[in-house]
Short mmCIF file of all heavy atoms in Angstrom, two decimals:
data_model
loop_
_atom_site.label_atom_id
_atom_site.label_comp_id
_atom_site.label_asym_id
_atom_site.label_seq_id
_atom_site.Cartn_x
_atom_site.Cartn_y
_atom_site.Cartn_z
N GLN S 37 98.39 84.28 88.74
CA GLN S 37 97.08 84.20 88.11
C GLN S 37 96.64 85.58 87.61
O GLN S 37 96.14 85.73 86.50
CB GLN S 37 96.05 83.68 89.12
CG GLN S 37 96.25 82.23 89.52
CD GLN S 37 95.76 81.28 88.44
OE1 GLN S 37 94.91 81.64 87.65
NE2 GLN S 37 96.31 80.09 88.40
N LEU S 38 96.81 86.62 88.45
CA LEU S 38 96.37 87.95 88.07
C LEU S 38 97.14 88.48 86.87
O LEU S 38 96.56 89.03 85.94
CB LEU S 38 96.54 88.91 89.26
CG LEU S 38 95.42 88.89 90.29
CD1 LEU S 38 95.80 89.76 91.47
CD2 LEU S 38 94.13 89.38 89.68
N HIS S 62 79.44 104.90 80.62
CA HIS S 62 78.96 105.86 79.64
C HIS S 62 79.98 106.97 79.54
O HIS S 62 80.25 107.66 80.51
CB HIS S 62 77.61 106.44 80.07
CG HIS S 62 76.55 105.38 80.13
ND1 HIS S 62 75.86 104.97 79.01
CD2 HIS S 62 76.10 104.62 81.16
CE1 HIS S 62 74.98 104.02 79.37
NE2 HIS S 62 75.12 103.80 80.65
N CYS S 70 80.52 100.46 75.65
CA CYS S 70 80.44 99.32 76.54
C CYS S 70 81.77 98.60 76.51
O CYS S 70 82.25 98.19 75.46
CB CYS S 70 79.34 98.36 76.10
SG CYS S 70 79.10 96.99 77.25
N ASP S 80 93.53 101.44 73.72
CA ASP S 80 92.21 102.03 73.68
C ASP S 80 91.44 101.72 74.95
O ASP S 80 90.68 102.54 75.46
CB ASP S 80 91.44 101.52 72.45
CG ASP S 80 92.08 102.00 71.16
OD1 ASP S 80 92.84 102.98 71.21
OD2 ASP S 80 91.82 101.37 70.13
N LEU S 97 74.77 95.16 84.54
CA LEU S 97 74.21 94.29 83.52
C LEU S 97 74.29 92.85 83.98
O LEU S 97 75.08 92.50 84.86
CB LEU S 97 74.99 94.44 82.20
CG LEU S 97 75.04 95.86 81.60
CD1 LEU S 97 75.88 95.84 80.34
CD2 LEU S 97 73.64 96.34 81.29
N PHE S 135 90.32 83.26 99.39
CA PHE S 135 91.56 84.01 99.59
C PHE S 135 91.31 85.22 100.49
O PHE S 135 90.34 85.96 100.29
CB PHE S 135 92.12 84.47 98.24
CG PHE S 135 93.58 84.80 98.30
CD1 PHE S 135 94.53 83.79 98.18
CD2 PHE S 135 94.00 86.10 98.48
CE1 PHE S 135 95.87 84.09 98.23
CE2 PHE S 135 95.35 86.41 98.54
CZ PHE S 135 96.28 85.39 98.40
N VAL S 158 85.71 95.01 85.88
CA VAL S 158 85.19 93.67 86.15
C VAL S 158 83.89 93.73 86.95
O VAL S 158 82.90 93.09 86.58
CB VAL S 158 86.25 92.82 86.89
CG1 VAL S 158 85.67 91.47 87.29
CG2 VAL S 158 87.50 92.65 86.02
N LEU S 165 87.54 99.50 94.78
CA LEU S 165 88.69 99.09 95.58
C LEU S 165 89.69 100.23 95.73
O LEU S 165 90.27 100.43 96.80
CB LEU S 165 89.37 97.88 94.94
CG LEU S 165 90.61 97.33 95.66
CD1 LEU S 165 90.22 96.78 97.02
CD2 LEU S 165 91.28 96.25 94.82
N VAL S 178 104.30 99.60 98.39
CA VAL S 178 104.94 99.07 97.19
C VAL S 178 106.03 100.04 96.74
O VAL S 178 105.78 101.24 96.59
CB VAL S 178 103.91 98.88 96.06
CG1 VAL S 178 104.60 98.35 94.80
CG2 VAL S 178 102.82 97.93 96.51
N ILE S 188 102.55 118.20 77.47
CA ILE S 188 101.63 119.03 76.70
C ILE S 188 102.19 119.16 75.29
O ILE S 188 103.39 119.40 75.11
CB ILE S 188 101.46 120.42 77.32
CG1 ILE S 188 100.90 120.30 78.75
CG2 ILE S 188 100.56 121.29 76.48
CD1 ILE S 188 99.51 119.73 78.83
N ILE S 220 96.74 125.68 80.54
CA ILE S 220 97.26 125.16 81.81
C ILE S 220 98.50 124.32 81.53
O ILE S 220 98.48 123.41 80.70
CB ILE S 220 96.20 124.30 82.53
CG1 ILE S 220 94.90 125.08 82.66
CG2 ILE S 220 96.70 123.87 83.89
CD1 ILE S 220 94.99 126.31 83.51
N GLY S 228 102.23 111.41 93.12
CA GLY S 228 101.20 111.05 92.15
C GLY S 228 100.32 112.21 91.72
O GLY S 228 99.44 112.03 90.88
N LEU S 229 100.54 113.39 92.28
CA LEU S 229 99.78 114.59 91.93
C LEU S 229 100.63 115.51 91.08
O LEU S 229 101.83 115.65 91.29
CB LEU S 229 99.32 115.33 93.19
CG LEU S 229 98.44 114.54 94.16
CD1 LEU S 229 98.16 115.37 95.40
CD2 LEU S 229 97.13 114.12 93.49
N ILE S 235 99.06 129.89 82.03
CA ILE S 235 100.15 130.57 81.34
C ILE S 235 100.30 132.02 81.79
O ILE S 235 101.34 132.64 81.59
CB ILE S 235 99.94 130.48 79.82
CG1 ILE S 235 101.25 130.73 79.07
CG2 ILE S 235 98.84 131.42 79.36
CD1 ILE S 235 101.19 130.41 77.59
N PHE S 241 96.37 124.69 89.96
CA PHE S 241 95.50 123.52 90.04
C PHE S 241 96.37 122.32 90.41
O PHE S 241 97.53 122.23 90.01
CB PHE S 241 94.81 123.24 88.70
CG PHE S 241 93.99 124.39 88.18
CD1 PHE S 241 94.59 125.40 87.44
CD2 PHE S 241 92.63 124.46 88.42
CE1 PHE S 241 93.85 126.46 86.95
CE2 PHE S 241 91.88 125.53 87.94
CZ PHE S 241 92.48 126.52 87.20
N MET S 268 107.21 121.46 94.74
CA MET S 268 106.17 120.75 95.51
C MET S 268 106.81 119.63 96.31
O MET S 268 107.68 118.91 95.82
CB MET S 268 105.13 120.19 94.55
CG MET S 268 103.93 119.52 95.17
SD MET S 268 102.75 119.04 93.87
CE MET S 268 101.41 118.35 94.85
N GLY S 272 104.64 113.67 104.17
CA GLY S 272 105.09 112.33 104.57
C GLY S 272 105.50 111.56 103.34
O GLY S 272 106.10 112.10 102.41
N ALA S 275 100.57 111.22 99.40
CA ALA S 275 99.77 112.45 99.30
C ALA S 275 98.73 112.54 100.41
O ALA S 275 98.23 113.63 100.70
CB ALA S 275 99.10 112.52 97.93
N GLY S 285 109.17 134.37 92.99
CA GLY S 285 109.37 135.26 91.86
C GLY S 285 110.75 135.87 91.84
O GLY S 285 111.52 135.77 92.81
N PHE S 290 107.60 135.34 97.69
CA PHE S 290 107.28 133.91 97.63
C PHE S 290 106.16 133.61 98.61
O PHE S 290 105.91 134.34 99.57
CB PHE S 290 108.51 133.05 97.94
CG PHE S 290 108.96 133.08 99.38
CD1 PHE S 290 108.55 132.10 100.28
CD2 PHE S 290 109.80 134.09 99.83
CE1 PHE S 290 108.96 132.13 101.60
CE2 PHE S 290 110.23 134.13 101.15
CZ PHE S 290 109.81 133.14 102.04
N PHE S 318 114.29 129.37 84.38
CA PHE S 318 112.92 128.87 84.34
C PHE S 318 112.77 127.67 83.41
O PHE S 318 111.73 127.01 83.43
CB PHE S 318 111.98 129.99 83.91
CG PHE S 318 111.83 131.08 84.94
CD1 PHE S 318 112.46 132.31 84.76
CD2 PHE S 318 111.09 130.87 86.08
CE1 PHE S 318 112.34 133.30 85.70
CE2 PHE S 318 110.95 131.87 87.05
CZ PHE S 318 111.58 133.09 86.85
N GLY S 370 118.46 110.94 96.04
CA GLY S 370 119.07 111.94 96.90
C GLY S 370 120.26 112.66 96.29
O GLY S 370 120.82 113.56 96.93
N CYS S 456 104.69 110.59 69.69
CA CYS S 456 103.39 110.78 70.33
C CYS S 456 102.36 111.14 69.26
O CYS S 456 102.44 112.19 68.62
CB CYS S 456 103.48 111.90 71.37
SG CYS S 456 101.91 112.34 72.12
N GLY S 461 94.83 110.22 65.07
CA GLY S 461 95.69 111.19 64.41
C GLY S 461 96.74 110.49 63.55
O GLY S 461 96.93 109.28 63.63
N ALA S 468 105.61 120.23 73.99
CA ALA S 468 105.96 121.59 74.37
C ALA S 468 106.59 121.66 75.75
O ALA S 468 107.59 122.34 75.96
CB ALA S 468 104.71 122.47 74.33
N TYR S 474 105.12 110.12 89.67
CA TYR S 474 104.97 108.71 89.99
C TYR S 474 103.48 108.38 90.00
O TYR S 474 102.73 108.90 90.84
CB TYR S 474 105.61 108.39 91.33
CG TYR S 474 107.11 108.38 91.29
CD1 TYR S 474 107.86 109.47 91.72
CD2 TYR S 474 107.81 107.28 90.76
CE1 TYR S 474 109.24 109.47 91.67
CE2 TYR S 474 109.20 107.27 90.70
CZ TYR S 474 109.89 108.36 91.15
OH TYR S 474 111.28 108.35 91.07
#
Side-chain angles (χ1 to χ4, degrees):
Q37 292 283 336
L38 278 174
H62 296 277
C70 185
D80 294 340
L97 302 178
F135 201 84
V158 175
L165 180 66
V178 179
I188 299 296
I220 308 296
L229 301 176
I235 200 169
F241 303 85
M268 185 176 182
F290 71 95
F318 291 105
C456 175
Y474 287 99

